[in-house]
Amino acid sequence: MKDKISMRQAGIIALLIIFSNKILLLPALMHEYIKADALFAIIMLFGIEFLAVPIFLKLKRTYPNERLYEILKKYITVVGAKLLYIASLVFMIFKALLIFSIVYVYFKEHIYQNEFVWIALFSFIPIMNHAVMSGLKPTVRTMELFIGVVLAGFIFCLVISFFTPISTPYFFVSSAKDIFASIYKYAFTFGDLLFLFLIIDKIDYKKSEEKQIYFYVVLAIALVVTLFFLFYCKYQLTSFMHNNALADLLVFSVQFNAIGKLDIVAMLTIMLITLFQMELFCYGFCDCFINIFPPLNKKYAIVLFDIAFLILYYIFIGKYEIMVKSTVTWLPILGVIIGYAFPIACYIFTFLKRRKNEKSD
């Protein structure tokens, strides 16, 4: 019981992890493909993402104390469970790589103006490692402490955009085919709620508190959709040129003499969100590794994560365009498996369990 987290804390994890890879580059990336109709695509993608919540809660009610790995073994054998965990492990590290690459470019352009990759790596990696070694509960308590600051900063960036010229963007300029194709094309930037499934046994479930998870998931979705809408209202046809959506909402904003430039609010908000997301994806990677190789512990998992992260950095992040291109070429395959196929499989597992119980009765 002492190692478990509350439903509210699980909701906070869901909120932070839903923000991943959606608040900086994605609005520009989607606008380049389907213009402002990306708003419709993002709503459909979030609709699919949201369905994972009731499936997760149903799975938790059906298997209140079992680990995900144990559940998978019952239905898809040990080999199938390990293969799915390998896919999840790859998903987690590439999520972390994409977050790091996008945020690194943002800070390089807005703060340092030159390369500072070793400073960034030596800042992030030890913190991620410490979070994993400390365990999930202390990490989530820290997130719980700062969630108010994160939400205040995020909402502030949205509100301040109203002090700049905005107008309704042009919709229905892309074909329905392209809009629906984007559900596959940008699948990798979603599927983040997989993390909740991985820690399903670590959540102290109470039916009366299910609304906590729904609240934070809906809040995260509402904030991201609002960000997309305001971003497209602000930049119209040039939206594809602005790769840092949340921060770019403050560009040309009113400067108050007593405060100075307001960019610092976006910088601090992005820094906190990124730090927490990197910790979660590192934890998810290590959890997958330990389930794939039970004899090995967290220390081995962390060492592997660090080595793999640094090697992949030189392959992908060192070439920013390659990393971004990968998210819409081969990584969507992984996104479909994790974001679409996996929740459906979990729903089937709960259905089979119910039928088994009915036959027993």
Side-chain angles (χ1 to χ4, degrees), residues 261-279:
K261 293 190 68 176
L262 301 176
D263 296 14
I264 188 65
V265 177
M267 291 177 186
L268 292 175
T269 302
I270 292 167
M271 187 182 300
L272 282 173
I273 292 174
T274 302
L275 179 61
F276 293 143
Q277 288 169 352
M278 294 287 283
E279 288 178 350

Side-chain angles (χ1 to χ4, degrees), residues 12 140-149:
I12 291 172
V140 179
R141 279 180 173 173
T142 305
M143 296 174 185
E144 198 173 16
L145 184 64
F146 284 96
I147 192 62
V149 177

Side-chain angles (χ1 to χ4, degrees), residues 139-189:
T139 302
V140 179
R141 279 180 173 173
T142 305
M143 296 174 185
E144 198 173 16
L145 184 64
F146 284 96
I147 192 62
V149 177
V150 168
L151 289 175
F154 198 112
I155 294 170
F156 176 83
C157 293
L158 297 181
V159 171
I160 207 69
S161 66
F162 288 102
F163 292 91
T164 63
I166 58 174
S167 57
T168 306
Y170 296 101
F171 293 113
F172 306 107
V173 295
S174 300
S175 68
K177 179 183 176 182
D178 288 339
I179 294 174
F180 282 104
S182 66
I183 294 176
Y184 167 77
K185 190 178 180 72
Y186 300 102
F188 180 72
T189 55

Side-chain angles (χ1 to χ4, degrees), residues 204-220:
D204 183 19
Y205 174 78
K206 294 179 181 177
K207 186 174 176 58
S208 61
E209 296 180 1
E210 285 187 355
K211 60 185 178 181
Q212 293 278 1
I213 292 181
Y214 279 110
F215 169 76
Y216 282 105
V217 169
V218 170
L219 177 59

Side-chain angles (χ1 to χ4, degrees), residues 20-32:
S20 64
N21 301 314
K22 300 179 186 71
I23 63 174
L24 288 177
L25 179 62
L26 187 61
L29 205 60
M30 294 185 72
H31 186 275
E32 188 174 10

Side-chain angles (χ1 to χ4, degrees), residues 124-135 138-139 279 282 302:
F124 273 100
I125 289 180
I127 296 174
M128 289 189 296
N129 295 348
H130 180 266
V132 175
M133 289 303 299
S134 299
T139 302
E279 288 178 350
C282 181
I302 289 171

